[in-house]
Each structure stands twice: as structure tokens, then as C-alpha cells.
Amino acid sequence: MALRIAIVGPGRVGTAFARRFVQAGASFVGFVGRDRAATAEQVAAVGSGAVLAWPDLHKAHVVVFAVGDGDLAKAVEQAASIGGRPCSLWLHTSGRHGLEVFASAELLGVRTGSLHPLLPFSGSLENINMAGAPAVAAGPPRSMRLLKRLAAMLQLAVIEWRGGDKQSRTLYHAGCVLAANGATALFGMAADLVRSAGGLDRRDGDAIVAALMNAGVRAASEHGADRALSGPVRRGDAETVALHLAALQDQAAVATPTYVALMQQALLLARDQGLAPADCERVAAALSLLRPSS
Ligand SMILES: NC(=O)c1ccc[n+]([C@@H]2O[C@H](COP(=O)([O-])OP(=O)(O)OC[C@H]3O[C@@H](n4cnc5c(N)ncnc54)[C@H](OP(=O)(O)O)[C@@H]3O)[C@@H](O)[C@H]2O)c1
């Protein structure tokens, strides 16, 4: 019998998951959404399933909660208030929440877990290619087997969560957000600087930044961030750092705090890699040489 899967939250992640589950041969029961018309649109976009009411979740072997982090506890409560299909698996896709968010479902006899996909789901991208992306799975052993099966259907590579409580989950999520959304924001900022200063068009500016960021990420993942670091901070070149800061303050002040924060972090890596203490001090001094804004 095909696995019957329902999804609460017909948003970016919910819709991408539904499409993949259908392609993988699961029986997609449908979406529970907040807005009936918008939910019907997403059902049509997936080409399978139906607009569901809360009691319809009883039909599913698996209920995926793909609502925003702030809405998750309430959505679980709403589902729990009508009961749960015994032994079905309820899982969420949030990075921020642990399994404590299922507290209201504790006495229902459902299994719980989470599967946090580690790739950006942008609403503007029609078909998200999940193949090979990692996903962090959390849950007791009796949930893990099915979580792994679901991940395989989604073509996600499972990493099992071994962390602890709510607080460590929040730190983990902060790291993920820094890596994903921080990198996107950094890309935009660096591309603006390169483009405007070099008189380049958008394509060339983006190509330059993409090449540099890809190479930096590749080197850091292969050798570790400290050994991968290059550039003026790694060389202890305080003069260049001071020139950068002066130019940024004059022409792109909005980028200055980002430059300072990231180069301070780079300085820690450079120190770990053996940059001489005197050079570390000179670079640190250059990074604190901000002129008061007029
Ligand atoms: N986007 C990503 O890149 C990404 C990556 C990994 C993990 N995640 C996680 O996946 C989850 C979903 O993220 P998303 O980006 O897909 O969010 P989203 O696009 O905002 O979609 C959330 C959907 O849930 C619906 N919803 C909210 N409360 C509901 C409720 N009580 N009952 C039924 N439907 C409800 C929303 O309806 P309305 O339209 O009415 O608000 C919306 O359709 C989050 O926990 C997020 O952290 C996201």
C-alpha cells in the first residue's frame, strides 16, 4: 500500500515536498491550509491531493507540519485537538524547533520527528532540486526508520541530530540561517560593491562574486575555515584593511559594519593559523579605525 502523506502548510517547503512525494509514488492526501483559495491553488499546482480539513489528517500515515516557526505549536495543537491516527508519524520541517513542540500530541499515540531540509526554498523558484541536499532528522528510534524512508523519497541525505535541548536547537538554527541567508545577503552586498566600483554589468559582478564565494566555501569545507583563509587579514596587511575601511565609509557606508564584523572573525582564524601577534594587533587596530560619521 502506498504511504499516505498529508501536509499542514501549503507554503514553500510544503509544496516542494508534496511534488517530490508524488513523483516518488506516495499517495498525497492533500494540504491543510489557512486560506481555502490559496490552498486549492497549491493543490492544483501539485496536481494531486485535496484541500483538507483537520479531521482529514486521520487518513494519513504521515503528517508533515510545514508551517512557519511561529505558527508551529499552534498548528500542532489544532491537529491534536481532533486526535491523531495511532502510530502515524507527525513530523515538522523546522530548524528552530525540537520535538518539544509536539507536547500537545504526546498522549495521542502518534510518533513524532523532524526533518529539516538544508537548502533554501525560495517561493520564486518553481522546481526546487533537492537531490543530494542534506536534511537533519531528529526523533526516537521508532520514528527514525520512516523519517529515513521519507528523506529517501525526497532525495535528501539524512544527518541524524545528536544535539540536545531547545537551546542547542536555537543555536544550530542560528548557524544555519547565517550560512544560508547570511551568504545570500553577503552575495548581494559584495556584488553591489564590485559592480558599482568596477563599472561592471550585473552578470559580470555576480559572476565574480559567485566564483570567489564558491572557491572560498569549497576550500573551507575541504580544509577547514582556518586553513582556507587568504587575503589581507591572513597576511597581516593592516594598511590594505585601513584603506578598505576608509573607502567603504566614504562610498558604501552600509557595508562597513559587515566588513568589520567578518574581518574580525577572519582575524581570529588568522591568529589560529599563526599570524604573528604584532601583525594581529596592527590589523585589529586598523579594524577599529572607524571615523565618526559626520
Ligand atoms: N523556506 C526555506 O528555505 C526553509 C528551509 C528549511 C526549513 N524551512 C522550515 O519549513 C517551515 C515552513 O517554511 P516555509 O518557508 O515553507 O514557510 P511559508 O512559505 O511561509 O509557508 C507556511 C505555510 O503554512 C501555512 N500555515 C501557517 N499556519 C498554519 C496553520 N495553523 N494551519 C495551516 N496552515 C498554516 C501558511 O499559510 P499563510 O499563507 O496563510 O501564512 C503557509 O501556507 C518553517 O518551519 C521553516 O523554518 C524553511
Side-chain angles (χ1 to χ4, degrees), residues 54-55 57-58 65 73-84 90 104-105 108:
W54 293 102
L57 294 181
H58 278 276
F65 289 84
K74 183 139 179 282
V76 171
E77 267 172 43
Q78 278 178 283
S81 69
I82 52 105
W90 286 16
S104 55
L108 299 179

Side-chain angles (χ1 to χ4, degrees), residues 3 5 68 98 114 128 159 225 232 234 254 279 291:
L3 198 61
I5 303 174
S114 68
I128 310 271
I159 296 171
R234 176 66 187 91
V254 71
D279 288 333
R291 295 193 309 265

Side-chain angles (χ1 to χ4, degrees), residues 28 45 60 65 96 122 129 271-272:
F28 176 55
F65 289 84
R96 195 186 101 187
S122 160
N129 181 6
R271 189 197 58 193
D272 289 348

Side-chain angles (χ1 to χ4, degrees), residues 45-170:
V46 172
S48 180
V51 177
L52 304 179
W54 293 102
D56 294 325
L57 294 181
H58 278 276
K59 298 175 192 161
H61 303 117
V62 173
V63 179
V64 179
F65 289 84
V67 304
D69 293 334
D71 293 319
L72 184 54
K74 183 139 179 282
V76 171
E77 267 172 43
Q78 278 178 283
S81 69
I82 52 105
R85 182 189 175 93
C87 293
S88 60
L89 174 68
W90 286 16
L91 69 120
H92 70 69
T93 60
S94 165
R96 195 186 101 187
H97 291 283
L99 301 188
E100 74 287 337
V101 76
F102 286 118
S104 55
E106 210 170 75
L107 301 176
L108 299 179
V110 299
R111 292 180 278 171
T112 58
S114 68
L115 192 63
H116 178 223
L118 292 159
L119 74 164
F121 292 76
S122 160
S124 55
L125 302 177
E126 252 293 286
N127 274 312
I128 310 271
N129 181 6
M130 288 185 258
V136 167
R142 71 190 197 109
S143 302
M144 197 50 81
R145 222 170 112 208
L146 186 48
L147 282 171
K148 285 182 178 169
R149 183 172 160 204
L150 293 165
M153 292 171 121
L154 295 166
Q155 300 180 313
L156 295 167
V158 164
I159 296 171
E160 282 188 48
W161 171 258
R162 292 192 191 83
D165 56 5
K166 198 167 161 183
Q167 207 180 353
S168 63
R169 192 76 192 189
T170 309

